[in-house]
Amino acid sequence: MSDHCDERATMIAAGDLQEFAPRGREQSRRHPSALSLQLRRLQPAPELCSSDGAAGLVGSLREVTIHDRHRESWQLRKGISDVGEEVDYDEELYVASNVVIWSKGSRSQASAVYKAFTVDSPVLQALWCDFIIPQEKVEKADGDEETVEKCICILQNSCINVHSMEGKDYIAALPFQVTSATLFEHFASHLCFPALEPLPTMFSMLHPLDEIAPLVCKSGVFGSCRVQYVADPTLRIVFLSAEPSIVMTYDTVQSLHTVWALRRVKPEEQSLVLKFPDQGGTPQHMATSSSLTAHLRSLSKGDSPGGSPFQNYSSIHSQSRSSSSPNLQSRSPTISNMAALSRSHSPALGVHSFSGVHRFNFSSSAQSPRRPSVTHSPNSIANDSFLVPETEPIVPELCIDHLWTETVPSMRSKNSQASKVFISTDLCGQKFLCFLVESQLQLRCVKFQESNDKSQLIFGSVTNIPAKDAAPVEGIDTLLVLEGSGNLVLYSGVVRVGKVFIPGLPAPSLTMSNPMPRPSTPLDSVSTPSKPLNKHLGPLEESVLLSPVPELRDSSKIHDSPYVEDCTFQQLGTFIQALRDPVHNRVTLELSNNTMVRISIPEIATSELVKRCLQGLKAILPKETAVQMLVKWYNAYNAPGGPSYHSEWNLFVTCLMNMMGYNTERLCWTRNLDFEGSLSPVIAPKKARPSETGSDEDWEYLLSSDYHRNFESHPIAKALRLDPLEVSASRDDFSQSLSLDSSTLLFSHIPAIFFVLHLIYEELKLNSLMGEGLRSLVVLLVQLARDLKLEAYMDYYYRDYPALVKTSRQTCIIDQVQTGFMLHPSFFSAEPPSIFQWLSSCLKGEGVQPYPYLPGICERSKLVVLVSPGGQGIQGMCLVLSALPCGQGFTLRDLESLPFGVALPIRDAIYQCREQPSSDWPEAVCLLIGRQDLSKQAWEGSLQKGKSSVGTVPSSDIPSAAESEEDEDGMNDMNEEVMSLIWSEDLRVQEVRRLLQSARPVRVNVVQMPEASDHEYIEEKENRLLQLCQRTMALPVGRGMFTLFSYHPVPTEQLPIPKLNLTGRAPPRNTTVDLNSGNIDVPPNMACWASFHNGVAAGLKIAPASQIDSAWIVYNKPKIAELANEYAGFLMALGLNGHLTKLATLNIHDYLTKGHEMTSIGLLLGVSAAKLGTMDMSITRLLSIHIPALLPPTSTELDVPHNVQVAAVVGIGLVYQGTAHRHTAEVLLAEIGRPPGPEMEYCTDRESYSLASGLALGMVCLGHGSNLIGMSDLNVPEQLYQYMVGGHRRFQAGMHREKHKSPSYQIKEGDTINVDVTCPGATLALAMIYLKTNNRSIADWLKAPDTMYLLDFVKPEFLLLRTLARCLILWDDILPNSKWVNSNVPQIIRENIISLHATELPSSEDLSLETLAQAHVYIIAGACLSLGFRFAGSENLAAFQCLYKYATDFLKCLSAPTASITGLYNLETCLSVLLLALAMVMAGSGNLKVLQLCRFMHKKTGGEMNYGFHLAHHMALGLLFLGGGRYSLSTSNSSIAALLCALYPHFPVHSTDNRYHLQALRHLYVLAAEPRLLTPVDVDTNSPCYALIEVTYKGTQWYGEATEELMAPTLLPELHLLKQIRVKGPRYWELLIDLSKGTTHLQSILSKGGILYVKLRAGQLSYKEDPMGWRSLLAQTVTHRSSEARAFKPEAISAFTSDPALFSFADYFCKPTMDMGQKQEILDLFSSILYECVTQENPEMLPTYIAIDQAVRRLERREMSETFELWQMKLVLEFFSSRSHQERMSRNPTRGLFMNSEFLPVMKCTIDNTLDQWLQAGGDVSLHSYLSGQAPEESQLSMLACFLIYHSVPTPGQLAAGGLEGSRNFSELLLKLRRLHVPVRALLRLAPLLLGNPQAMVL
């Protein structure tokens, strides 16, 4: 405040003045609801009764009388753009009665309404709010950043509407009246005042779906820390802030403001609050103020003595409007009762429940003696309420910690609540919390800062500023204060900057009759007509002041301010009455005549250079000095009628020099700085006398002006051959020396300021766009360096700008005495830090000093230093580049503005990275190195799973004619584009569609025999149709496989399910044949399973990534009962693709209670599959209800259909998969051998139940083998062995033994195990438990018996299962050849086997040939099936050939005469098994031979072919084209378990047969399918293409590491087998995906559709257009590379690049015109440069080549007035000769050269020659005089500087220090100069001068 005394008349001019009216106002008049609003205003409508609970009439009166402005409010904020770029406009939220209007508008008032919301009741407040969306645990892994949901909250009486920007709407009901809500980023927190004393008063809501939770506060009173709810009704929230996270409250009793830190609650604090407090304690004891005041306070509220705090909760009769709860009554009978109800989860507790109170933990049983009668006794309720689960307490989410309370003044008026609070930053970044106490007319500012460990805030002292109103101006870190006198004053922190002058408003006259306004009367006593309700409003009215929107302020405000009457303003008419809506640097003034104007406060600086310098000074000066300096500058810059843009720098220099003690009037160069900013100096400076006639002085002035000097050194002057004019030295140049005034503000800081400005100068050198700024800055630096006598710096600037430095010579003397007072900072170095020099040393590999860095200013220097070539390898360099600084990263645009020498090493690194990138680099890096393919991949990878633009390649939308006919076959959503790339040669996909479609009638071709009657003929046709329908009904399972996950449903439409067509058409007349004609017997419910499968097939089309919710699933429920089976299947499919988890529990319950068997099966299996292996409790409960064995023995017997029990048992297996859960395993083990019960229960279809139990047991213990922990007493393997081979039944242990006491009356089994029932389940259970364990002892149990006697005991088909189980256990022994397959056949069978082609049968007495033959085929089939499992999805050629051989053998066998021995049924079964095995191996590949087999089987419809065989054949067909070629099978344990269930080798005989195996399980193959198709997509055309990829396998015990080339799109092998995948050149940019680091990256690519983006290299065509690669452009040019290849035709460039800039370059600079003359040479050069850049694919090097060429030419013409370009040339040459570059070249000389090898040596040679010529032509003289410290002649200055820089000549000072005097010979020199890092080539040129013998050593 020191500035206050010398109050100069500084004024600050405010910018453009505009009338302001909220945009929403006019919009709301046009809003459709406006009309009804006006009507409503006229008639007293009861529903408008306002929230205070007064009678309706009064309410409506109030509605009418309150002035219109009272009902509208608005708030503004800075516009937020979507992308994050800077936007400069305001967003406004306008509220008027029921309407909220959100508009956005720019400065020019071009506003647009963005959204308008209309709600049912009047809006109390609307605000912007950002909620943090809690991330699920799963997604936490990939990114910890929280996602923020931007919303608008609209607060009404009883609820809050939240509308998010994404379009989600939430409505949160409020269980109480809210008085005001305050906005907090990430949370809306609500502050409420229920009148009930002990309840909390502040609440928060962290997300619209969360409950509203009370705040807790933690305040240490006398060292003891208590944590408790905020329950003090006198605390008002006045202010909330997100950065830093603080809350400010006001205590109405003590009239004090307090600041709290707001944070999330720690878990230990939650438990502290939720624990029961001791019985006697009252909540008041915990309140922040002492309990005495609290008690008094509760009395003073005027409670009636009988009114208990619980009155509103006691009973429904509490509507007697007791005065204790004025603002709780409202339109609903009592909101509080509603609250009680809504809070208690159980309606049974009813109205008497205390649950509303209980959920906040205050035990107040001791507090109120007159408790109303309640059903429980008072004590029990307090203690038990937490044992009742229904009334769980609300867990607090936020906590406030006490930080600061203002000190208590001697006299404090009653109502001094802050009406406005904000956080302001001063110009130096110090933060102040400012709050305006209107009644005192003062603004109090508290400085606060973060503690060093960033953990807490430290508050300082309070400063009072007299103010009537205030507003922060964030854009320029100041605040605007409206003083009582009506002046607007700008402050920065607490330092006064100056008055603001507003053009167009009269300045207030300062005649105040009453200079000291008396404190205003408290609000309540002012009685204006608009306030009849004050008494009722209670806390509501006062809190109006807290609203962040000041318009809610009462209209009586004008009358309160006593000086309105006393001032003379009223004659003036307008004066400023309030400030509001500050946004960035704009603020609205409210004038006394109710109009508003908006002004903008001017920026602190506009030119980039001044901004940089101010920033540097701020960083280096002490805070107080810096603020004073900035205030002075701000006043100078923004004086009314301030400067224009051009002269801003000149003004800054003058201002700065003055503050440093210079007399700028007398310093020659500053005196000539023109402030007018005109480029021509014709306008004389203001002090010149006006004279009509010219004079000599004018000419002199012109010559000595900057303009003239700049023009002389300008290239145009050279081009026009203008001779320089001699200027007579002006008179006062050397006449007197000037001295500095040491008393000024910045005098002592001159060295520090100089050093900072020097660093800024170095920083600007790295931006080639700031050349002008450099020239301006160097003049100031030279002056300071000369005055500080810094020779090294002087020499340095001379070398940079030889032409500028020579001209100014005037020094100012600084007294020696005063030099002592100057603060020389520690970082000041005598040698000038030079960024170019630093880089140069790096490139030469010399040791370098660290480079000085100023945060925020030297950002570029920091970048360049960090990525300098000395440091890390190239890969590191690019990562550093993009990761830097704080998120902005280093972009290509920054690279373009770097000087070419500095940029070259970076560009080189980028080029090398582009050649060999790593696939997991982040998006920013990929963009930087120019690999769009990678950056797009990274971008898609970083999209959240929910939002992923679902990874299907855009497919063609035009349906072909063929498709539109077969619209409804359910297969038209396949991705044709990719499939046509995979199978491009033939139409196999159409053939598969034809085989699998079931929506069109079949062709029934029966020839009518002459002897058959018409009726017989019809019957025959229908019988034939019945046979065909067996096939039709089996098709949907296969179709589900084919269309797996291929469709993304539209959430507004039902999923189309193709109809299952069971009719036929008979040729020739195409008459319809129907089964329902009644001519033949059709089995009942024949189609019910078929339609179930049809529903599953349709549901499986839905891809897992689709957006589906519970509502859509229910919406698909069909209206017709016949379709219920399809819907059941649809539900199961949704479970298999993971969507069923979204279905609400309520709906699941709904479906199960319907009792529809199919729906239950589908739902139970679906839910279990969706929760695979999670041991989810709720699902376990759901399944247990359907399994009697899992229910307690006393429970009522539920009548659960048998198939549903089977499904539930398998469901248990899925949910507990791999968990080895003991109890489950024990129950399932017993269930395998469940005996039939007495009353016919468990008697039918026992096989499928036993099998299901076995499969489930196998899943639970999947792969655990002998390490089943804690189950040794169950003897699992022994028990299973017994089930498999039979024996005496053991006594049933466990709780169900009662049930099995009495045997069944139907089935006589005795007490032995029925092996026929239990064997399959037990066998497969063993196989799954010991899967892949290679356990020989268990495997030997499963060997096929090798004696005839034993063979007779085993069903042949069980041998298939045993063989399969044995091979799965001995997983590693399986070999893909027929020798291994046959080794599974026991010797007795091998010796006596009949050849497949024998014609007559050998007879034998002791051997049953039938048994042997059947055993043989089944064992072979079992071995082959295990081969299929082992090589599933691998496309292994040996396995395929082996299986194919056996399949064809079986086919021949079928037609051989010996087939009858084996039995046709058995052969068909084995053939089906082989077909499935083949399809498993070739899954997803669409192999043609297997397809032919399937088609052959498809045509066989008569004889033994039943429903089950068709099912198997079409499943094989489906597996072959799994997911349209995008999916394959996995061989993980869980996949094998799923496939065992799905491909169980006993097929149903007819369509309703579930006796041995539940048909629904056939669909579990989905759990084994995984996406493995890799589809290359060209990143430019965004369409799939072919690309060559190289796959490297890891070595295993069977084969070494191997590589294989595949043409993608192709199915990859299983990822765990692979080491890496490479996209190979030469057509596409190479790309390596390394799988040794982990497969997650590739897995995420595959799961998103397998899209791998690739990018064609220049001049290459895709494989489709050019299969052999003969048409590429490089191929052509390389073949005839002759002399004319140089003049390469510009037209040809289009094959290489699509960049329009390069086309234009070729057009304008490379096309020869008629008379070229000397330009031809440049043209050729440009052409060859262009050719080079384009073919090497680094077009970004074009500007560098040209810049180098231009620089060399300029040097040749000796026109270098600044040596900037020469530095760059030097850096380029040093880079190419640097060690790291040389090493790389020697490692791989063939890799693309970054610069043409011929170009650089030529350039280097030219430079050398030019400089040597200059040296011989007399340059040595000036060089000698320079080295000996005399001034060389002026004309040579520029070339001399070039020579010094290029040859790195040390300064004269360094040479003198190096002790070169007296050196005799060259070797001595060499030694001494080695220390100064002088290169030898420079030494050769310097030696003659230094040694003093004149003849040069270089000629």
Side-chain angles (χ1 to χ4, degrees), residues 1830-1844:
Q1830 298 138 7
E1833 57 178 296
E1834 296 223 342
S1835 59
Q1836 301 282 0
L1837 278 175
S1838 298
M1839 284 306 282
L1840 174 60
C1842 292
F1843 182 85
L1844 296 177

Side-chain angles (χ1 to χ4, degrees), residues 1596-1780:
T1596 62
Q1597 62 194 60
W1598 296 282
Y1599 53 86
E1601 185 171 304
T1603 55
E1604 173 186 20
E1605 283 194 356
L1606 302 170
M1607 183 62 85
T1610 176
L1611 283 170
L1612 295 177
E1614 288 196 75
L1615 303 189
H1616 63 83
L1617 302 173
L1618 302 183
K1619 185 178 173 195
Q1620 63 178 40
I1621 293 178
R1622 257 179 61 220
V1623 174
K1624 288 193 60 166
R1627 301 204 181 188
Y1628 289 94
W1629 278 102
E1630 289 207 1
L1631 163 63
L1632 177 80
I1633 298 180
D1634 187 1
L1635 297 176
S1636 51
K1637 297 179 192 163
T1639 56
T1640 44
H1641 177 66
L1642 185 55
Q1643 261 165 343
S1644 72
I1645 290 179
L1646 291 174
S1647 62
K1648 294 200 177 83
I1651 294 180
L1652 186 69
Y1653 287 104
V1654 293
K1655 185 170 164 54
L1656 266 178
R1657 299 194 67 142
Q1660 299 279 5
L1661 298 170
S1662 73
Y1663 284 98
K1664 225 176 187 172
E1665 302 167 282
D1666 178 17
M1668 304 309 282
W1670 291 332
R1671 287 171 47 204
S1672 107
L1673 204 127
L1674 271 176
Q1676 299 165 21
T1677 44
V1678 174
T1679 44
H1680 18 85
R1681 176 88 193 241
S1682 56
S1683 54
E1684 72 267 13
R1686 300 227 125 174
F1688 108 102
K1689 313 232 173 352
E1691 298 79 63
I1693 189 180
S1694 59
F1696 286 99
T1697 173
S1698 51
D1699 185 353
L1702 292 177
F1703 287 167
S1704 316
F1705 181 82
D1707 259 3
Y1708 292 120
F1709 292 98
C1710 307
K1711 278 193 180 163
T1713 49
M1714 280 316 287
D1715 69 284
M1716 289 300 292
Q1718 53 179 2
K1719 290 192 197 151
Q1720 184 64 46
E1721 173 240 356
I1722 290 192
L1723 203 85
D1724 289 348
L1725 176 73
F1726 281 174
S1727 290
S1728 56
I1729 287 178
L1730 181 65
Y1731 180 78
E1732 183 79 30
C1733 286
V1734 174
T1735 49
Q1736 291 296 333
E1737 282 192 87
N1738 46 0
E1740 65 273 13
M1741 286 298 295
L1742 191 64
T1744 307
Y1745 276 119
I1746 292 176
I1748 294 177
D1749 179 60
Q1750 293 294 306
V1752 173
R1753 285 170 197 268
R1754 206 166 294 144
L1755 183 70
E1756 276 187 290
R1757 296 199 301 268
R1758 313 223 171 153
E1759 287 174 10
M1760 281 212 170
S1761 59
E1762 39 192 82
T1763 55
F1764 186 71
E1765 290 170 312
L1766 198 63
W1767 255 118
Q1768 303 309 309
M1769 286 298 308
K1770 189 176 160 189
L1771 287 173
V1772 171
L1773 294 172
E1774 276 170 355
F1775 171 67
F1776 278 100
S1777 57
S1778 70
R1779 195 177 299 132
S1780 62

Side-chain angles (χ1 to χ4, degrees), residues 750-951:
I750 290 181
I753 291 175
F754 169 71
F755 193 69
V756 171
L757 291 176
H758 176 80
L759 285 182
I760 292 175
Y761 170 75
E762 288 297 321
E763 169 77 0
L764 294 180
K765 278 188 184 177
L766 292 179
N767 187 343
S768 46
L769 307 174
M770 292 296 286
E772 279 299 312
L774 273 172
R775 287 184 209 100
S776 316
L777 190 52
V778 80
V779 183
L780 173 61
L781 286 169
V782 168
Q783 177 73 53
L784 291 174
R786 193 181 287 119
D787 295 344
L788 291 170
K789 303 192 173 58
L790 300 168
E791 284 301 323
Y793 282 88
M794 288 292 296
D795 182 74
Y796 178 71
Y797 297 135
Y798 155 66
R799 290 184 183 201
D800 276 354
Y801 284 97
L804 277 181
V805 173
K806 64 180 180 192
T807 47
S808 51
R809 298 273 169 69
Q810 195 176 13
T811 38
C812 297
I813 298 151
I814 301 178
D815 290 355
Q816 288 306 310
V817 191
Q818 289 166 347
T819 317
F821 295 133
M822 287 197 185
L823 307 166
H824 275 270
S826 53
F827 49 75
F828 195 91
S829 58
E831 284 299 310
S834 158
I835 187 78
F836 293 157
Q837 186 60 54
W838 194 94
L839 281 171
S840 163
S841 311
C842 263
L843 288 169
K844 291 186 205 151
E846 300 163 2
V848 283
Q849 290 293 316
Y851 184 79
Y853 163 67
L854 254 182
I857 296 146
C858 311
E859 285 308 326
R860 283 212 163 185
S861 322
K862 173 180 170 184
L863 264 173
V864 170
V865 169
L866 281 176
V867 299
S868 61
Q872 42 326 53
I874 291 177
Q875 312 282 343
M877 194 154 159
C878 269
L879 280 171
V880 167
L881 271 182
S882 57
L884 275 164
C886 56
Q888 282 98 331
F890 187 81
T891 59
L892 288 171
R893 296 211 25 205
D894 300 340
L895 198 54
E896 281 166 15
S897 59
L898 271 181
F900 62 87
V902 180
L904 190 85
I906 300 179
R907 284 197 192 278
D908 178 68
I910 286 176
Y911 186 68
Q912 304 298 333
C913 288
R914 188 185 307 164
E915 286 288 336
Q916 294 173 307
S918 155
S919 60
D920 50 3
W921 281 353
E923 186 189 350
V925 187
C926 303
L927 273 175
L928 183 69
I929 61 173
R931 291 288 300 263
Q932 296 93 321
D933 48 345
L934 285 171
S935 58
K936 188 156 182 189
Q937 197 84 51
W939 178 73
E940 301 230 326
S942 63
L943 280 181
Q944 278 143 6
K945 298 180 184 61
K947 300 196 184 80
S948 64
S949 58
V950 179

Side-chain angles (χ1 to χ4, degrees), residues 415-444:
N415 185 5
S416 58
Q417 179 174 332
S419 57
K420 227 188 220 183
V421 189
F422 51 86
I423 290 180
S424 173
T425 316
D426 76 359
L427 291 164
C428 276
Q430 307 179 78
K431 293 199 163 165
F432 292 87
L433 176 67
C434 309
F435 51 103
L436 175 75
V437 181
E438 248 181 311
S439 55
Q440 311 270 314
L441 288 185
Q442 55 182 215
L443 181 71
R444 306 200 176 114

Side-chain angles (χ1 to χ4, degrees), residues 323-350:
S323 58
S324 69
S325 55
N327 58 347
L328 262 159
Q329 318 294 348
S330 106
R331 295 195 293 275
S332 63
T334 55
I335 283 250
S336 35
N337 266 326
M338 297 299 290
L341 281 171
S342 67
R343 282 289 183 216
S344 83
H345 293 296
S346 128
L349 282 170

Side-chain angles (χ1 to χ4, degrees), residues 1305-1327:
Y1305 306 135
Q1306 293 285 325
I1307 299 173
K1308 295 279 174 281
E1309 280 187 348
D1311 49 7
T1312 52
I1313 290 171
N1314 184 345
V1315 183
D1316 290 338
V1317 173
T1318 58
C1319 179
T1323 314
L1324 289 181
L1326 275 173

Side-chain angles (χ1 to χ4, degrees), residues 1822-1836:
S1822 44
L1823 182 60
H1824 191 266
S1825 54
Y1826 169 80
L1827 289 177
S1828 54
Q1830 298 138 7
E1833 57 178 296
E1834 296 223 342
S1835 59
Q1836 301 282 0

